[in-house]
Amino acid sequence: MTDLNHFLMVYRFGLAEIRTKLEILAEELAHRGTGNPIEHIRPRLKTPTSIAAKAQRIGCPLTYADLRQRIRDIAGIRVVCGFVSDVYTVAEMLTRQPDVDLTQTKDYIAKPKPNGYRSLHLLVEIPVFMSERVVSVPVEVQLRTVAMDFWASLEHKIYYKHSPQVPARLRDELTAAAEDAARLDERMERLHREIHGPQSSPRHTPAS
């Protein structure tokens, strides 16, 4: 148990580092009068049970070295933003910091999953300074809008309730609901631009 706590400790520290960076960015933008692009932040550390289940699923040996190398989302943080443009702005501001190493990007906003899931996933590594060493900690950062987060939360609950098999009718309805949420994001983005103007803040939309 002591070894396990020590193993997970560095991931908690990595989460704390990333969360602090995001909170500083949000407060700075609010102070500059450009508005806080972040609605809320939810850090998440996988439980030992969840780590073991994923290790079994991917055929990863249950050694700390293998877990550290092959399971890269032990530490995760979800960043919920108001607009799609905010998602990309926050992602850019975070990853251009010199001590944040971006190792992988999965853009499920530009290319949604078949079920309609939308989110921007970044795998970053952040240095954690311990008493006698520096540890590079991987953290998965998920950025999404309020509408995307609402859909993903309810989709998870529906799948959990109907596990292991969700009726085809519900799957189709969920995909349609994801498209509705995407249209809502587009409408709210357009309204925001009409009210505040395209040059009112550093926010931007991704290139098509």
Side-chain angles (χ1 to χ4, degrees):
M1 185 59 70
T2 300
D3 288 343
L4 177 60
N5 288 336
H6 188 267
F7 174 74
L8 292 175
M9 180 177 64
V10 294
Y11 290 97
R12 286 198 299 271
F13 293 160
L15 274 178
E17 292 279 355
I18 291 293
R19 180 169 188 166
T20 298
K21 286 179 174 295
L22 290 165
E23 289 174 345
I24 289 172
L25 288 175
E27 187 170 342
E28 179 196 1
L29 290 175
H31 182 73
R32 282 162 50 183
T34 56
N36 182 355
I38 298 175
E39 296 293 328
H40 54 264
I41 299 170
R42 297 176 188 161
R44 181 269 305 151
L45 190 67
K46 278 187 181 296
T47 64
T49 300
S50 179
I51 294 172
K54 180 161 186 177
Q56 182 179 27
R57 205 162 54 242
I58 65 174
C60 174
L62 290 177
T63 68
Y64 292 126
D66 285 303
L67 294 174
R68 186 178 295 111
Q69 180 66 30
R70 297 188 57 185
I71 301 183
R72 310 295 286 173
D73 62 344
I74 292 175
I77 191 163
R78 183 172 303 155
V79 185
V80 178
C81 301
F83 302 97
V84 173
S85 56
D86 290 334
V87 166
Y88 290 95
T89 294
V90 172
E92 181 185 352
M93 295 179 75
L94 176 66
T95 56
R96 73 185 179 200
Q97 296 189 16
D99 59 342
V100 177
D101 181 21
L102 176 64
T103 62
Q104 187 179 58
T105 300
K106 293 182 179 180
D107 192 343
Y108 297 117
I109 298 176
K111 295 182 178 180
K113 289 186 177 182
N115 69 342
Y117 175 85
R118 288 169 168 82
S119 188
L120 177 64
H121 291 196
L122 309 176
L123 184 61
V124 302
E125 291 191 358
I126 182 81
V128 171
F129 292 84
M130 309 289 284
S131 59
E132 298 178 347
R133 61 195 176 109
V134 179
V135 182
S136 182
V137 179
V139 179
E140 184 187 59
V141 184
Q142 296 181 359
L143 301 107
R144 59 181 62 159
T145 66
V146 175
M148 294 173 196
D149 190 55
F150 172 75
W151 180 89
S153 177
L154 293 186
E155 190 259 3
H156 176 76
K157 290 180 180 179
I158 290 171
Y159 266 75
Y160 181 81
K161 180 177 180 180
H162 289 275
S163 180
Q165 184 62 44
V166 176
R169 178 183 58 82
L170 283 182
R171 291 200 302 269
D172 293 341
E173 287 283 354
L174 284 168
T175 302
E179 294 169 356
D180 290 340
R183 284 191 289 269
L184 177 61
D185 271 333
E186 292 174 1
R187 177 177 294 179
M188 296 307 291
E189 186 92 45
R190 176 178 55 79
L191 290 172
H192 180 265
R193 289 178 179 276
E194 287 183 6
I195 293 170
H196 297 284
Q199 304 299 324
S200 62
S201 78
R203 300 167 187 164
H204 66 283
T205 53
S208 57

